[in-house]
Amino acid sequence: MMNNSNLVFKAIGFDADDTLWNNETFFQETKSKFRKILQEYPLDEIDQKLLNIEKHNLQVYGYGIKGFILSLIETSIEISDQKINGRQIGNILDLGKKMFSEPIHLLENVETTLRHLYQKYILLLITKGDLFEQETKISRSGLSKYFKYIEIVSEKDESTYSSILKRHDIDPKVFLMVGNSLRSDILPVLKIGGHALHIPYKITWNHEMEHPEINPKHYTQIKHLGLLKSWLERMS
């Protein structure tokens, strides 16, 4: 638990996917449907091949649905030794189109929390992924009115956070980042001298799983976003 007392935060950053709304659930549902398309092949081989291809393709396509679907197609080609047919590839493409049309489901307590906080703090939405995809989700969420700054980035690392905070004249010492991913939302912010609050989501993508030892001085974890308001009051 963060053991600082009388902390005064000027700005709070929020991750989007799986912090403000459901996201990974749709990827897992699509993977399940993908396995059925390739049901004649061993499940464990499909999963391992897909994981390896996804990790490699992050450097090519970046994050998001488009890159994910291309990785599914590549996996199907390799697993089937190029025997995958046009109908099956068409079915995979349809899975991607369905993902783009999924409604935005805000997580519990999100809007009430943001409505309270934006009156007192500078709020930033910091999300990574495909520009079109993220812009569309943000627009459909109805949450953009609560954020002074919206940053859509290709990666969330130390240099990204440092650049964002410098551009908006925010000292890391008075910045709190809230998110579900230790790898993307927590560790980079701690390394630049900021504070971080982890809210685990029920599902975590393998690529985002990290379980490092974290100095509790600038870090804590809460169960859901509805607890953020009272936590901030205790820390001030």
Side-chain angles (χ1 to χ4, degrees), residues 10 20 39 44 46 56 61 71 100 116 118 150 162 179 187 214 221 229 232:
K10 174 182 176 182
L20 301 181
Q39 57 186 329
D44 56 342
I46 294 172
H56 175 267
Y61 307 127
S71 292
F100 275 110
H116 171 80
Y118 96 109
I150 295 177
S162 293
L187 295 175
I214 300 177
Q221 183 182 105
K229 177 178 176 290
L232 287 167

Side-chain angles (χ1 to χ4, degrees), residues 69-120:
I69 295 300
L70 288 171
S71 292
L72 294 184
I73 292 173
E74 184 175 343
T75 299
S76 70
I77 292 171
E78 292 198 11
I79 283 289
S80 70
D81 193 24
Q82 301 187 30
K83 295 182 178 65
I84 192 81
N85 61 50
R87 177 182 55 79
Q88 290 170 306
I89 290 178
N91 290 339
I92 295 171
L93 291 173
D94 286 340
L95 293 179
K97 292 175 183 177
K98 185 176 186 303
M99 290 181 73
F100 275 110
S101 66
E102 292 287 358
I104 300 297
H105 294 298
L106 299 183
L107 298 179
E108 189 176 1
N109 303 303
V110 165
E111 187 152 20
T112 54
T113 299
L114 294 178
R115 188 183 301 122
H116 171 80
L117 295 179
Y118 96 109
Q119 302 176 50
K120 183 176 180 181

Side-chain angles (χ1 to χ4, degrees), residues 195-212:
H195 302 261
L197 190 145
H198 184 217
I199 307 178
Y201 186 61
K202 59 185 177 181
I203 304 172
T204 303
W205 181 28
N206 286 337
H207 179 68
E208 296 289 353
M209 288 184 179
E210 286 196 30
H211 302 281

Side-chain angles (χ1 to χ4, degrees), residues 32-44:
S32 179
K33 294 172 182 177
F34 174 68
R35 295 185 190 109
K36 291 181 180 179
I37 293 174
L38 298 179
Q39 57 186 329
E40 61 189 283
Y41 302 99
L43 178 61
D44 56 342

Side-chain angles (χ1 to χ4, degrees), residues 17-30:
D17 294 333
D18 299 322
T19 297
L20 301 181
W21 53 69
N22 290 316
N23 181 65
E24 184 60 25
T25 302
F26 300 128
F27 281 81
Q28 294 301 323
E29 290 173 352
T30 300

